[in-house]
Amino acid sequence: MITDEDKERVRQASDIVQIVGETVELRQRGRDFWGCCPFHHEKSPSFHVIPSTGFWYCFGCHQGGDVFNYIMKRENLDFPDAIRYLADKEGIELSEERGAARRGPKRSRLVECLTEAESFYSTLLLRGRGEGAEEGRRYLSGRGFGSDVCRRWRLGYAPGHGLLVSHLREAGFSRDEIVSADLALEGRAGLRDRFFDRVMFPIHDEQGRCIAFGGRVMGDSKPKYLNTKDTPVFHKGKHLFAFDRAKDSMVATGTAIVCEGYTDVISMHEAGFTNAVAALGTALTLDHVRLIERFAKDRIVCMFDGDAAGQRAAERAVQYVGKTSVQLLCVVLPGGQDPAEFLAANGADSLREQLAKAVPLMDFVFSKRLSGIDLSVPGRRVAALDQMATLLVPLRDSILLDGYATTLADLLGTSVEEVKRVIRQKPEPAPEAEGERAPTRAKAAPTQGRGTPLSPRDPSRAGMSLSALSKDERMQVIAERELLAVMASNVNAVRAQGDRIASFTWADSRNEAMAWAMLATPEDATPADVVAAAESVVPEAPQLLAGARLEVTSGMGVDEEVAFLLDVIELWSRRREVREIKARLRATSASPGDEEAAELFRSATEVQKRINELSQRVSTVA
């Protein structure tokens, strides 16, 4: 279990500007930073990062929160895993890891063990004198990978025979660490090397650390490729080969190229296509797509083989068309060649021409599925519609369905309504095998902090919809939130207003609780301390505070802004108060001289005078 202390350690160590800047081009305006939102397409920057409080907010899609919310959304993680992600990134050891001896080795030790294995394999390939190492060099040389390429990519050779296990034990790694990294297997005679007599392709995480291996035999043995199984530091359905090398080029070009093999990716990079990656012994998954789209904002080009396996891979990828903001395209190289073969035979310029001819993935699937079918036969058109409808089931709730249904209707000579009817009556597809997971429709909402669900429709309200409030309440909530955002950055500017704040009737009780928690902090409290105080009473505080968006205050000084916001909050509070008094007057069957009615009338008159005064002040500023 992750402790509050660990959470705060990770928060303090995580630079929100640096983390967002990994995938978003930020420009500084005053003390804050702005850029185009990474979660929806926009041309004008509306994505706001506030370094002093550690918050971010998008005025376009109304998403916001703290660094944990950002990582949850960017990486598709739940709250605890977002903390673990950032802790791993910042090199922070969590309490759960310190007590993990009962559950297994620490992640950092597994990475160190794998890195040592990478060095061992690479040294053997480059300097080994045995027959196996020489065969490995010949094999890689035959693929066009000389010693320089092998050195750059840290390629290696695994001899087996327990040599790696012996080396790692001498280097100080324990039996559990070696097994947990999937570098060795338990046997009756003790540990034995997991990989033997194979050329080795190291797999790195986003930070460039070795987390797994792919090994290929040099002859006809089976299996041809042997990959590290899922471990505490590696998940084949989430990681991509060469992603650490390709991500900068993805950002620069807006495009990612997804190949099917390690050697294809290396050949692509060496030929100048440095935005190429490969899945690791599995089909492309939604996690892969979401990882890529953080960096490649425009296109993902899938380079499939032209055989039946390539067609199946394309059809599996179709389900993600409606779940990503980038365009999914497809290229099939002529003659059944893979990218490495095509480059060797035709060169980089010819491959660029092929990539320029990439077609939308759905168009490719439609064409392949319908090729060879005589659509002049009515029964075959019906059967084709039934098959194609199954492919479109994942898109039936997407705005893309109309376009694809129209295309299919035109191809099959039927009506759009009939295509949609068949699609909607199809059952949900069965979940895919591990590593090829299809997303479930009934997925639990992500949680923040202590498990409070975040509303996907209105994340700025975190569980309370603004549409459910009256106009006055909505306006007051917005002003309350803006005041709290100012307090998060500069609570001392508001401390003297405690008596006035106490007179408000708050529209959202959570805002009131946060305000008093923030005001209770010591005068030397940092913005992070103030935010932590708010979060201690309202777990969703980071999400709420990040939603402040009153543009009218953007050019004001702090004192002027505080005075204006207090006037606005009191104005809407008083307007609600006078309406409540009038409602009580209407409900009172008062007779002439009724003291209760007279008192209510006097109260309403006094409140209305205050409303008029506040209205004048607010309208003058606005």
Side-chain angles (χ1 to χ4, degrees):
M1 180 177 178
I2 298 174
T3 65
D4 289 342
E5 291 78 9
D6 279 346
K7 181 181 74 173
E8 290 310 312
R9 286 172 59 219
V10 174
R11 189 199 302 277
Q12 294 294 331
S14 301
D15 184 337
I16 184 70
V17 175
Q18 179 182 358
I19 289 168
V20 173
E22 292 173 353
T23 54
V24 179
E25 184 178 352
L26 295 174
R27 296 186 181 275
Q28 189 167 5
R29 297 183 194 169
R31 291 173 296 178
D32 300 341
F33 292 80
W34 294 79
C36 290
C37 180
F39 305 126
H40 79 284
H41 279 298
E42 61 178 9
K43 295 181 180 179
S44 300
S46 63
F47 186 83
H48 184 199
V49 180
I50 311 167
S52 62
T53 59
F55 292 144
W56 61 276
Y57 187 80
C58 176
F59 292 92
C61 65
H62 307 298
Q63 301 283 327
D66 60 5
V67 68
F68 298 129
N69 295 107
Y70 184 78
I71 290 300
M72 286 166 64
K73 185 165 181 64
R74 191 183 80 175
E75 302 292 335
N76 190 33
L77 299 174
D78 59 19
F79 184 68
D81 282 342
I83 296 175
R84 295 184 184 103
Y85 176 95
L86 289 169
D88 189 47
K89 187 179 184 68
E90 301 299 333
I92 295 174
E93 184 180 17
L94 300 175
S95 298
E96 65 177 12
E97 293 177 344
R98 290 194 293 272
R102 298 183 301 272
R103 300 188 301 274
K106 294 188 297 185
R107 290 168 54 88
S108 60
R109 286 291 291 172
L110 297 185
V111 172
E112 290 172 9
C113 186
L114 288 155
T115 301
E116 184 64 31
E118 177 187 40
S119 179
F120 174 82
Y121 291 145
S122 176
T123 299
L124 275 183
L125 176 70
L126 294 173
R127 303 177 186 174
R129 297 180 180 276
E131 180 180 343
E134 292 177 0
E135 185 181 359
R137 289 192 287 269
R138 284 195 299 271
Y139 170 81
L140 292 170
S141 177
R143 301 291 295 188
F145 302 159
S147 59
D148 288 345
V149 174
C150 293
R151 189 174 290 107
R152 275 196 296 274
W153 288 84
R154 300 286 288 168
L155 303 185
Y157 170 70
H161 307 295
L163 294 180
L164 175 66
V165 169
S166 297
H167 176 80
L168 293 176
R169 292 305 297 268
E170 289 176 4
F173 294 99
S174 70
R175 184 187 192 93
D176 286 347
E177 288 167 345
I178 297 170
V179 172
S180 295
D182 198 33
L183 292 170
L185 302 173
E186 296 272 10
R188 285 181 293 183
L191 293 185
R192 67 178 189 275
D193 290 355
R194 172 87 154 86
F195 300 95
F196 61 91
D197 201 22
R198 291 174 182 268
V199 289
M200 302 297 289
F201 298 85
I203 299 161
H204 300 111
D205 64 8
E206 191 174 327
Q207 285 76 49
R209 300 172 299 188
C210 184
I211 55 172
F213 291 95
R216 193 199 189 283
V217 296
M218 295 165 284
D220 298 325
S221 303
K222 301 294 182 182
K224 183 165 68 174
Y225 279 100
L226 182 64
N227 300 303
T228 299
K229 67 182 182 181
D230 282 1
T231 71
V233 297
F234 170 67
H235 303 281
K236 63 182 178 182
K238 293 185 176 182
H239 290 103
L240 292 162
F241 179 69
F243 184 78
D244 57 312
R245 296 169 178 263
K247 60 183 183 180
D248 290 344
S249 183
M250 289 181 188
V251 173
T253 63
T255 300
I257 304 172
V258 181
C259 305
E260 295 194 357
Y262 306 124
T263 55
D264 293 331
V265 170
I266 295 174
S267 297
M268 294 280 286
H269 276 254
E270 293 297 317
F273 301 92
T274 54
N275 53 342
V277 294
L280 300 163
T282 179
L284 198 67
T285 69
L286 183 58
D287 286 332
H288 289 146
V289 172
R290 285 176 171 164
L291 174 64
I292 292 170
E293 71 178 352
R294 285 170 38 203
F295 298 84
K297 300 297 185 183
D298 299 327
R299 308 190 310 163
I300 299 176
V301 181
C302 301
M303 300 192 73
F304 295 120
D305 292 341
D307 57 12
Q311 169 70 8
R312 288 194 298 271
E315 292 180 1
R316 280 194 294 267
V318 159
Q319 65 185 300
Y320 310 132
V321 168
K323 296 178 174 64
T324 177
S325 59
V326 302
Q327 188 179 17
L328 288 175
L329 303 174
C330 178
V331 168
V332 175
L333 297 175
Q337 292 179 308
D338 61 34
E341 293 168 340
F342 185 89
L343 282 167
N346 303 281
D349 289 340
S350 294
L351 184 57
R352 288 190 186 91
E353 293 175 4
Q354 293 294 323
L355 290 169
K357 299 175 184 176
V359 299
L361 183 62
M362 190 67 78
D363 291 355
F364 169 76
V365 170
F366 277 4
S367 175
K368 294 292 286 187
R369 268 287 183 107
L370 297 178
S371 63
I373 298 177
D374 185 356
L375 297 178
S376 65
V377 180
R380 292 179 181 172
R381 286 204 304 272
V382 172
L385 173 57
D386 187 71
Q387 291 180 22
M388 300 302 293
T390 301
L391 291 175
L392 294 175
V393 167
L395 300 177
R396 62 183 172 194
D397 294 328
S398 167
I399 61 174
L400 301 175
L401 180 62
D402 284 347
Y404 290 127
T406 301
T407 299
L408 186 56
D410 291 343
L411 288 171
L412 298 178
T414 187
S415 68
V416 176
E417 291 72 21
E418 175 63 10
V419 172
K420 290 183 177 179
R421 184 192 68 78
V422 175
I423 292 171
R424 290 186 177 120
Q425 73 179 13
K426 286 285 184 183
E428 283 288 322
E432 298 182 9
E434 183 180 356
E436 302 174 10
R437 301 188 311 276
T440 57
R441 292 172 59 81
K443 185 175 181 179
T447 60
Q448 156 65 28
R450 300 169 191 172
T452 305
L454 303 181
S455 167
R457 294 182 180 274
D458 193 357
S460 68
R461 294 292 303 141
M464 176 176 157
S465 175
L466 284 174
S467 62
L469 304 177
S470 68
K471 176 184 177 182
D472 289 3
E473 288 173 327
R474 287 199 298 273
M475 295 303 296
Q476 186 175 342
V477 164
I478 292 172
E480 289 172 1
R481 201 67 50 72
E482 188 75 13
L483 178 64
L484 291 171
V486 173
M487 293 171 67
S489 298
N490 194 343
V491 69
N492 289 332
V494 189
R495 291 189 190 279
Q497 304 295 331
D499 290 342
R500 187 178 180 190
I501 289 173
S503 70
F504 295 161
T505 302
W506 292 73
D508 187 339
S509 61
R510 295 173 302 175
N511 293 344
E512 182 177 16
M514 285 190 288
W516 289 116
M518 294 163 116
L519 289 171
T521 58
E523 291 194 3
D524 60 350
T526 65
D529 295 334
V530 175
V531 171
E535 191 176 5
S536 69
V537 294
V538 179
E540 63 270 29
Q543 187 84 350
L544 298 174
L545 295 173
R549 56 185 185 277
L550 274 181
E551 296 181 7
V552 70
T553 66
S554 59
M556 297 179 180
V558 175
D559 292 338
E560 184 184 4
E561 183 177 14
V562 169
F564 173 76
L565 291 171
L566 290 172
D567 283 347
V568 170
I569 296 171
E570 184 180 354
L571 173 61
W572 291 108
S573 175
R574 299 304 181 199
R575 284 179 174 176
R576 290 168 52 223
E577 182 181 350
V578 79
R579 274 195 299 275
E580 291 170 2
I581 293 173
K582 290 178 179 179
R584 289 167 61 190
L585 274 170
R586 288 192 298 270
T588 302
S589 53
S591 57
D594 189 302
E595 291 186 7
E596 180 184 359
E599 181 60 33
L600 287 172
F601 184 78
R602 280 194 298 272
S603 296
T605 302
E606 289 299 319
V607 174
Q608 189 60 51
K609 287 181 181 178
R610 180 62 174 165
I611 288 173
N612 294 340
E613 178 186 343
L614 291 166
S615 296
Q616 180 64 32
R617 292 195 337 217
V618 168
S619 62
T620 300
V621 175

